[in-house]
Amino acid sequence: MLDELLDGFAGAYDDVGYFLVAVWIGPPLVIWAIASRADRLMRRFVAQFEEMFPGRPIIAGQAAEVTSDDRDGKVVKLRSGWLRTSAVIVLPDRLEVWGEDAEAADIVLDRSWLEVTREGIWIRYLGGDDFPAGLWLTDGDISVVVIPYGRSARRARRALARALRDLGETPEDHLGAA
């Protein structure tokens, strides 16, 4: 009788062990798989523009055309546009914003009048870290909000600093408080 009792306990313990492994390993594995797929898709997206514009800086991420009504102090409300996967191509005389399925640039900004401002678009990353990751780009006529792609807060900060350098800005001027 003692053997039967111990066998039942051991079987129940195995079930609990499998359950705990599934709970502790399963969700992080799924999150990792989704994030890895997002990285691969973004790299593939950028690669097509690297072929079209060899050697030119490319800011990959999310972008939307916005109006001055969207800007409320230092916070962008995005009433007029929706963020979508985009690539901002930095050319000597202009910035071209290309969407995922675009045959040509969706938006073109004149670099001679370009103004770059860091915006209060707060992004929350896995692990609870968040920070204002948006850039407001305007040439006086057209304004675009860009959030450079980064899977984690640390990568997003690096992407933001690189985007600022690509735009001819000094990252320390914009990221001093980050």
Side-chain angles (χ1 to χ4, degrees), residues 3-170:
D3 288 338
E4 290 176 21
L5 182 60
L6 290 177
D7 284 342
F9 178 74
Y13 179 74
D14 286 344
D15 291 343
V16 169
Y18 290 132
F19 173 75
L20 291 177
V21 166
V23 168
W24 285 339
I25 295 176
L29 189 60
V30 169
I31 291 169
W32 174 81
I34 291 170
S36 295
R37 176 159 169 69
D39 281 348
R40 278 193 310 276
L41 291 173
M42 188 59 77
R43 280 194 302 270
R44 191 177 308 145
F45 177 66
V46 170
Q48 72 186 20
F49 294 105
E50 287 173 340
E51 287 180 20
M52 293 169 59
F53 301 98
R56 302 304 321 161
I58 299 170
I59 304 167
Q62 304 293 315
E65 184 174 4
V66 292
T67 67
S68 58
D69 293 339
D70 292 310
R71 197 172 196 178
D72 181 18
K74 293 295 282 178
V75 179
V76 176
K77 302 281 192 218
L78 291 182
R79 288 183 287 263
S80 65
W82 295 102
L83 289 172
R84 62 189 185 112
T85 302
S86 301
V88 178
I89 315 300
V90 182
L91 299 167
D93 61 336
R94 67 189 183 282
L95 297 180
E96 293 185 359
V97 182
W98 292 66
E100 280 184 289
D101 301 323
E103 296 293 323
D106 295 326
I107 304 165
V108 178
L109 290 103
D110 182 356
R111 281 198 68 186
S112 61
W113 298 99
L114 188 66
E115 179 184 330
V116 178
T117 310
R118 184 165 177 217
E119 280 301 329
I121 301 174
W122 288 82
I123 306 297
R124 178 161 298 253
Y125 292 91
L126 195 59
D129 197 8
D130 57 347
F131 71 102
L135 293 174
W136 180 282
L137 311 176
T138 185
D139 65 0
D141 293 325
I142 300 171
S143 297
V144 177
V145 169
V146 178
I147 300 174
Y149 175 75
R151 181 167 82 183
S152 66
R154 187 178 70 217
R155 288 181 182 181
R157 281 186 181 93
R158 284 193 308 239
L160 185 60
R162 192 180 80 236
L164 287 164
R165 280 191 297 277
D166 290 345
L167 293 166
E169 299 287 317
T170 305

